[in-house]
Amino acid sequence: MALAVIGAQVCAQADTIAYGGPEGPDIYYELDSLPADATAEIGMAAHAIGLDWDVNDSLSFIPGYDMYCHWNTDAIFDREKTSRFDHDTLCLRLVQHECDQAIPCSGHVNSPFGWRKGRMHYGLDLELNTGDPVVCAFPGMVRISKYNRTFGNVVVVRHHNGLETLYAHLSKRSVEPGQMVDAGDELGKGGNTGRSYGSHLHFEVRFLDQPIDPTLLFDVTTGRLLHENFEIHKGTFASMAAAKASAGSRKYHVVRSGDTLSAIARKRGTSVNALCRMNGISQRSVLRIGQRLRYD
Ligand SMILES: [Zn+2]
């Protein structure tokens, strides 16, 4: 039997079982401490979708549970715990199969990860039109699906290797906490909800609540993963500290009518390649008037 239950939701495609009891969906039980009424509730939920289930059929399982030791379907991130990464290096396998990865939406980068207007931007802003599908980057289980003042309609997915990905400002959400999802599955439609000015996807990658620059994993212009394995070490997060430190010295060019990448590169004493790399765009990207391009 393959079954997962979070609260009253049953995911028939899951391999194992997790249960959020009557105390709330974020309360997690090991199988051998599952309360008796939970067993009955799971049995009924399974029966409702036409499955027979016996408590002995399953093991408690939530992706990355051994690393996080919690499954919270309300708090987007635990910002208090910022120093839980105490390994030297940890190698995360990102994909097992070719189909295990997908770029959440194909649009150029409006705003890169890093320091922005006096505050840290923990994700990547990808351009889209409201209503465009936003898909899951890797297989996993939906942890958060709710409305948040900052992120608008937001979905967070926990992946089996412990990474979490966040998809914000959606116009519509089409998944619920506890749902198993595959890479490429639609999580909702892109939009402009929450603290957002113009339709875009705010996409974050986190490990143990700490943000990672998504362009370290994905080539945004091709939509492909850069590596099958991703090494995490303290320096992965130090890049954020460095970004903060160098923030003061960053310089931006505001695109004006008639500007081209080569003209901007010439004017700012840099190369087209460097501009593309710094801004996560390709040489064929269409520039928009008013767009800010980092050149130093
Ligand atoms: Zn953003």
Side-chain angles (χ1 to χ4, degrees):
M1 178 56 54
L3 182 65
V5 180
I6 303 261
Q9 291 154 34
V10 178
C11 309
Q13 70 271 40
D15 292 329
T16 45
I17 183 163
Y19 174 71
E23 295 87 346
D26 53 337
I27 307 295
Y28 173 87
Y29 292 99
E30 295 296 333
L31 186 68
D32 53 9
S33 62
L34 209 60
D37 55 348
T39 312
E41 191 184 327
I42 294 167
M44 284 191 309
H47 186 74
I49 60 165
L51 296 171
D52 288 324
W53 179 79
D54 181 282
V55 71
N56 297 313
D57 289 335
S58 305
L59 291 172
S60 299
F61 175 74
I62 281 173
Y65 187 80
D66 52 338
M67 300 179 206
Y68 285 81
C69 300
H70 66 74
W71 176 257
N72 190 324
T73 57
D74 187 50
I76 293 177
F77 291 115
D78 188 347
R79 295 190 191 275
E80 301 302 304
K81 293 184 181 169
T82 51
S83 56
R84 280 191 291 164
F85 187 78
D86 50 9
H87 309 263
D88 284 336
T89 301
L90 190 65
C91 187
L92 298 184
R93 184 125 178 97
L94 296 178
V95 288
Q96 304 288 351
H97 309 287
E98 174 69 10
C99 58
D100 283 348
Q101 57 97 21
I103 190 87
C105 74
S106 54
H108 76 253
V109 175
N110 273 348
S111 178
F113 178 96
W115 198 254
R116 180 177 81 170
K117 295 176 193 153
R119 53 187 299 185
M120 192 61 195
H121 184 230
Y122 292 114
L124 198 63
D125 289 351
L126 294 168
E127 195 172 76
L128 50 62
N129 294 313
T130 291
D132 284 354
V134 169
V135 305
C136 195
F138 304 108
M141 186 186 276
V142 176
R143 182 167 67 79
I144 301 270
S145 175
K146 67 174 198 174
Y147 186 86
N148 170 277
R149 249 184 21 198
T150 303
F151 290 123
N153 281 309
V154 59
V155 170
V156 177
V157 178
R158 170 91 57 85
H159 306 290
H160 302 287
N161 55 15
L163 283 179
E164 291 195 321
T165 49
L166 173 145
Y167 312 80
H169 309 310
L170 305 177
S171 57
K172 178 175 174 287
R173 289 172 282 118
S174 44
V175 290
E176 293 299 330
Q179 193 173 329
M180 301 295 286
V181 283
D182 272 325
D185 280 359
E186 189 170 313
L187 301 174
K189 303 290 189 193
N192 185 27
T193 57
R195 198 186 299 155
S196 168
Y197 304 93
S199 298
H200 74 283
L201 174 70
H202 173 85
F203 174 54
E204 291 190 13
V205 177
R206 299 210 176 214
F207 185 70
L208 294 176
D209 301 317
Q210 299 193 69
I212 295 171
D213 184 347
T215 61
L216 296 177
L217 275 68
F218 281 99
D219 177 336
V220 180
T221 53
T222 63
R224 303 298 303 170
L225 265 189
L226 293 170
H227 340 264
E228 287 190 354
N229 298 296
F230 182 65
E231 276 193 4
I232 291 189
H233 45 82
K234 290 202 173 95
T236 310
F237 308 111
S239 65
M240 216 172 64
K244 280 184 183 173
S246 70
S249 63
R250 285 191 174 189
K251 296 191 177 75
Y252 291 88
H253 174 90
V254 179
V255 174
R256 277 184 258 167
S257 173
D259 270 352
T260 61
L261 278 175
S262 54
I264 295 167
R266 245 191 338 272
K267 180 173 177 188
R268 300 300 186 181
T270 181
S271 69
V272 170
N273 275 341
L275 281 177
C276 289
R277 201 172 50 244
M278 266 189 281
N279 295 281
I281 58 176
S282 87
Q283 302 204 7
R284 292 185 305 279
S285 293
V286 178
L287 299 178
R288 290 165 303 111
I289 292 169
Q291 183 177 353
R292 282 156 54 88
L293 287 179
R294 191 183 154 206
Y295 65 87
D296 194 18

